[in-house]
Amino acid sequence: MAAPMVRHGFLQARRMAIPLHFSPAGKRFLLSAAYSDSHKWEAREKEHCHLADLASLMDKTYERKFPVSSLTISRFVDNISSREEIDHAEYYLYKFRHSPNCWYLKDWTVHTWIRQCLKYGAQDKALYTLVNKVQYGIFPDNFTFNLLIDSFIKKENYKDALSVVFEIMMQEAFEVPSTQLLSLYVLYHCLSKKTDFSWEEERNFGASLLLPGLKQENSVGLSSQLYGYALLGKVELQRGLRDVYHNMPLLWKPGYLDRALRVMEKVAASPEDLKLCGEALDVLERVLRTLTSTADQASETQSQEGEDNQGSVNLVEQLDLEEPEESKLPQYLERFKASRSQLQALGRIEAESLLTLTTQLVKAKLPACEVEDLATYEQKLQQWHLERVQLIQREQEQREKAKQKYQAWMAAKTAA
Amino acid sequence: MARKPRPRLIAELARRVRALREQRDRPRDSQRYALDYGSLTRPLSGRRLPARAGADVRRESRLLQLLARLPAFGLGRLVTRKSWLWQHDEPCYWRLTRVRPDPAAQNLDHGKAWGVLTFKGRTEGEAREIEQVMYHDWRLVPKHEEAAFTAPAPAPADAPPPVPYPPLLRAMILAERQKNGDPSVEEPLLSLARARAEPWDYPARLEPRAPRRAADG
């Protein structure tokens, strides 16, 4: 398949001839080439403007403290044609975000910005603006997120793909199944490589596993929920509940380990043949044992020293009626053992690792999701086109009115 | 009385220029509500926050701090306050309809927001400006928890049944009925339902209500 030269950004490995999901050197392609094909996007109608003119117009408008319209910034981003211009566009995006019109940044501008970054090889720039989304206002939609993750997977840059997944989690954008599948794949890949993380990484992993896991109705989804709840419960008991939910899309009610156990019990009690992965159960067991042993050590030292500063801060959050979570740990361990033996008796434990399960699921379901996504993307392109035409028309009408007013004023002035 | 004082045009002009400059250089939200977290003072006015606010100020966030991280500034999302979560069992939240961040803020974490209030399970009819946006008290409800959060709390027991009046009052009521020629024979009953007063932390209305009249044009 002769790939067009347009895709030189992320196809530097020269493996573009192969449409399959595996290439001879083992590079994995999850999304098909049709998905990341940018023909339709290139073929869209765009106004050709000179970037220097737009830049000077924007500078003048900012100096005079007038609002810059979203059309101007979208024209600027549309007409990027080199790597330096990407840096200029980043500066103007920052200025637009800090102007009174920041809410009006259009979806198509964000999509175009990410596409242009990928086209000119500026993936790190795209990632930087995405991570600092507060300062740049970059909130891509699902299709754009998928493209970005795919470009990082193709380059085997799982660290950056992981950052993108964490951003999707912060925006709670796990609506579309293709995004859920891709993110789960990236998460399990990273989890299988490295096991010890700082508490912030554990918390982010927990939330990013939980949110797509809630949407998927199969064993991968349930195991992800379990894994996510286990990690979050660990952070909750080690650092306190506030560190779990602060600046995260998570609820402030305590008892994440309790919810993990409820998932297990639900699977054991459900009549359908849902399975949980053994790996996730092992993780939960490890978490419970680590916490019990640290709790024992902590209670020994506390009875010696008798100072409880950290505990009082955490207790502020909990109501007086509920007991602190540490005291419930032995009960959790018992419940876990009981549920696990029940699941084993019912044969509901999968022996394969989560990564293999997710890869199988991705291969099975992704093509169907891609077709849907492409259809929605084409519709969106047309919608954006119509909106853009409307905005241009409105801008022209306003210019006409302003001109007429000015002419009337000049006529009145010369007459007077 | 002497003749009318001479019109002082330059003073009038100066007054208008001063008003214009005051309006142009007014302190923005980000300056007014900036806070020094070490000493809990506002740099602009030099005022100090109450001492008990320190714990909240360090733990929680302002509303726009939460919204700056969301696409479209979190339109249509639900936000609650920690003080409501601690005080009331029923769901109390604002559903956002309009957000105007302050562009002078570095992290876009000051501004105004409008929304529809649901307080203790009762939703208001229309959107209005959200009060106390700059308080460090706000929490965002995650999307997957919205359904569980807005589910109404179990309804309290119904008002106890009405009770007969004390004998003297009853006699007075019956005598009044007889005097007015009222032929009703039923027993006068006293209802025990409480007059529903708004709780002390019900958000006040910030903008005056728009006058209800058919505007032409």
Side-chain angles (χ1 to χ4, degrees):
Chain A
M1 174 157 108
M5 294 313 288
V6 156
R7 286 155 70 202
H8 59 260
F10 45 76
L11 291 173
Q12 292 153 3
R14 275 165 274 117
R15 310 227 188 264
M16 38 186 160
I18 300 161
L20 300 173
H21 287 281
F22 275 95
S23 71
K27 272 212 165 172
R28 314 193 78 178
F29 291 64
L30 284 185
L31 289 176
S32 67
Y35 201 91
S36 33
D37 181 35
S38 49
H39 267 138
K40 290 191 206 90
W41 175 71
E42 297 281 339
R44 79 192 185 289
E45 286 181 30
K46 58 181 182 186
E47 299 169 70
H48 289 274
C49 312
H50 214 55
L51 279 184
D53 294 338
L54 285 172
S56 57
L57 169 69
M58 280 203 270
D59 286 333
K60 268 190 275 179
T61 330
Y62 280 125
E63 246 176 273
R64 291 198 206 148
K65 306 225 174 120
F66 284 139
V68 172
S69 81
S70 51
L71 257 188
T72 325
I73 189 84
S74 76
R75 279 179 193 143
F76 196 99
V77 175
D78 272 344
N79 286 299
I80 293 179
S81 52
S82 69
R83 180 70 178 81
E84 294 84 28
E85 287 169 11
I86 289 195
D87 294 323
H88 302 324
E90 187 195 345
Y91 169 69
Y92 283 111
L93 276 172
Y94 179 90
K95 286 213 82 166
F96 188 78
R97 176 76 169 168
H98 292 261
S99 73
N101 270 356
C102 52
W103 188 84
Y104 293 100
L105 188 67
K106 302 289 181 205
D107 298 338
W108 69 74
T109 317
V110 176
H111 179 75
T112 319
W113 162 253
I114 301 274
R115 283 266 203 193
Q116 298 274 28
C117 282
L118 293 178
K119 183 170 156 186
Y120 293 104
Q123 278 105 340
D124 50 337
K125 185 64 80 178
L127 187 66
Y128 178 75
T129 48
L130 187 62
V131 168
N132 295 346
K133 53 195 185 295
V134 172
Q135 305 293 340
Y136 292 100
I138 308 283
F139 294 103
D141 58 346
N142 288 100
F143 192 85
T144 328
F145 269 130
N146 288 352
L147 285 176
L148 200 53
I149 299 185
D150 191 47
S151 75
F152 284 125
I153 293 181
K154 284 190 174 118
K155 287 194 159 178
E156 303 269 314
N157 191 350
Y158 284 100
K159 190 160 160 294
D160 287 343
L162 193 64
S163 325
V164 178
V165 171
F166 287 160
E167 288 308 315
I168 307 184
M169 178 266 295
M170 298 278 190
Q171 287 185 33
E172 296 182 74
F174 285 117
E175 306 297 324
V176 175
S178 48
T179 325
Q180 296 161 16
L181 294 169
L182 281 175
S183 340
L184 285 173
Y185 173 76
V186 169
L187 286 163
Y188 285 128
H189 196 104
C190 292
L191 278 171
S192 62
K193 279 193 188 160
K194 188 176 132 173
T195 35
D196 61 325
F197 301 105
S198 67
W199 68 271
E200 289 126 337
E201 288 177 327
E202 277 188 358
R203 180 195 66 179
N204 289 341
F205 266 113
S208 328
L209 282 167
L210 178 64
L211 294 186
L214 284 170
K215 305 264 165 71
Q216 292 272 327
E217 302 283 334
N218 45 40
S219 59
V220 169
L222 290 165
S223 318
S224 315
Q225 284 181 38
L226 190 67
Y227 207 137
Y229 278 134
L231 289 174
L232 291 169
K234 183 169 172 200
V235 177
E236 181 191 346
L237 281 166
Q238 285 181 338
R239 303 276 318 189
L241 187 59
R242 188 229 176 215
D243 282 328
V244 173
Y245 67 76
H246 188 64
N247 290 350
M248 298 282 281
L250 293 171
L251 199 57
W252 42 81
K253 294 219 173 86
Y256 279 94
L257 289 173
D258 182 48
R259 281 172 221 157
L261 291 167
R262 264 194 239 151
V263 166
M264 283 176 71
E265 283 152 17
K266 194 179 96 177
V267 167
S270 83
E272 306 154 4
D273 186 31
L274 300 163
K275 297 195 182 180
L276 279 179
C277 193
E279 206 179 311
L281 292 167
D282 290 333
V283 161
L284 182 55
E285 185 174 357
R286 233 180 305 144
V287 160
L288 282 169
R289 287 198 198 281
T290 347
L291 291 170
T292 334
S293 60
T294 34
D296 291 336
Q297 277 176 5
S299 61
E300 280 173 26
T301 45
Q302 262 176 26
S303 57
Q304 288 168 15
E305 290 170 25
E307 65 103 57
D308 202 8
N309 244 345
Q310 190 69 22
S312 64
V313 168
N314 290 344
L315 281 173
V316 162
E317 183 67 47
Q318 295 167 4
L319 302 173
D320 301 301
L321 307 168
E322 298 176 13
E323 323 154 357
E325 291 291 315
E326 280 95 353
S327 58
K328 295 194 199 159
L329 273 174
Q331 297 171 18
Y332 287 157
L333 207 47
E334 309 232 342
R335 266 171 76 184
F336 171 76
K337 285 183 193 148
S339 308
R340 185 164 196 173
S341 46
Q342 205 183 2
L343 285 170
Q344 232 157 9
L346 290 170
R348 299 272 185 99
I349 301 194
E350 285 266 7
E352 300 197 19
S353 79
L354 277 167
L355 188 55
T356 27
L357 278 178
T358 325
T359 331
Q360 285 169 6
L361 187 70
V362 160
K363 279 209 204 111
K365 293 213 175 159
L366 203 55
C369 303
E370 279 183 23
V371 168
E372 279 177 38
D373 276 353
L374 281 169
T376 14
Y377 178 60
E378 286 185 38
Q379 273 180 354
K380 250 198 240 174
L381 277 177
Q382 291 185 357
Q383 250 180 341
W384 289 343
H385 177 68
L386 287 173
E387 248 191 88
R388 200 193 332 241
V389 160
Q390 248 184 349
L391 281 176
I392 296 176
Q393 216 180 9
R394 210 176 63 174
E395 192 191 39
Q396 274 173 352
E397 280 168 24
Q398 279 179 341
R399 275 211 193 126
E400 290 289 326
K401 271 193 223 164
K403 223 195 267 182
Q404 280 169 4
K405 252 195 199 171
Y406 179 68
Q407 278 169 357
W409 178 78
M410 285 297 282
K413 206 171 142 194
T414 46
Chain B
M1 276 268 265
R3 63 184 168 91
K4 259 165 70 171
R6 203 178 43 172
R8 301 169 65 192
L9 295 169
I10 300 182
E12 181 62 37
L13 180 68
R15 208 173 303 136
R16 283 199 201 156
V17 165
R18 256 183 259 127
L20 196 69
R21 284 204 186 142
E22 200 186 304
Q23 168 66 8
R24 200 185 56 191
D25 301 332
R26 69 192 187 278
R28 306 282 189 259
D29 277 353
S30 53
Q31 292 158 315
R32 274 176 75 191
Y33 302 124
L35 183 61
D36 171 15
Y37 286 86
S39 57
L40 288 188
T41 38
R42 299 252 189 234
L44 188 69
S45 57
R47 299 218 184 143
R48 227 176 60 171
L49 295 186
R52 288 199 196 184
D56 272 354
V57 157
R58 286 184 191 106
R59 286 169 67 100
E60 311 288 337
S61 1
R62 274 170 263 133
L63 181 60
L64 270 266
Q65 264 178 335
L66 299 172
L67 300 185
R69 290 195 306 267
L70 300 175
F73 285 99
L75 280 196
R77 298 291 298 265
L78 304 185
V79 284
T80 346
R81 294 186 63 169
K82 178 223 90 190
S83 45
W84 293 346
L85 288 172
W86 283 19
Q87 180 89 5
H88 306 289
D89 285 329
E90 302 91 340
C92 315
Y93 52 89
W94 286 95
R95 189 180 291 273
L96 298 164
T97 50
R98 188 181 149 205
V99 179
R100 195 185 76 186
D102 178 20
Q106 177 62 23
N107 299 327
L108 294 185
D109 53 4
H110 289 91
K112 294 192 181 179
W114 288 256
V116 180
L117 174 65
T118 301
F119 199 76
K120 294 180 81 153
R122 292 167 92 198
T123 318
E124 289 194 351
E126 39 166 37
R128 55 184 171 103
E129 190 171 346
I130 298 182
E131 207 201 15
Q132 297 177 351
V133 161
M134 70 297 288
Y135 279 43
H136 287 79
D137 200 25
W138 292 93
R139 289 200 192 163
L140 180 71
V141 180
K143 271 193 205 158
H144 61 273
E145 298 283 350
E146 273 182 12
F149 187 76
T150 53
D158 284 329
V163 156
Y165 275 97
L168 179 61
L169 274 175
R170 181 170 172 275
M172 284 164 72
I173 292 175
L174 291 176
E176 192 163 352
R177 274 192 196 166
Q178 210 180 25
K179 195 169 107 182
N180 296 343
D182 191 359
S184 57
V185 202
E186 76 218 1
E187 178 76 25
L189 290 173
L190 177 63
S191 102
L192 293 174
R194 279 197 199 168
R196 210 188 287 243
E198 282 181 352
W200 64 272
D201 54 355
Y202 197 89
R205 187 166 279 277
L206 282 178
E207 297 150 328
R209 220 184 264 268
R212 294 253 188 100
R213 35 169 279 271
D216 29 328

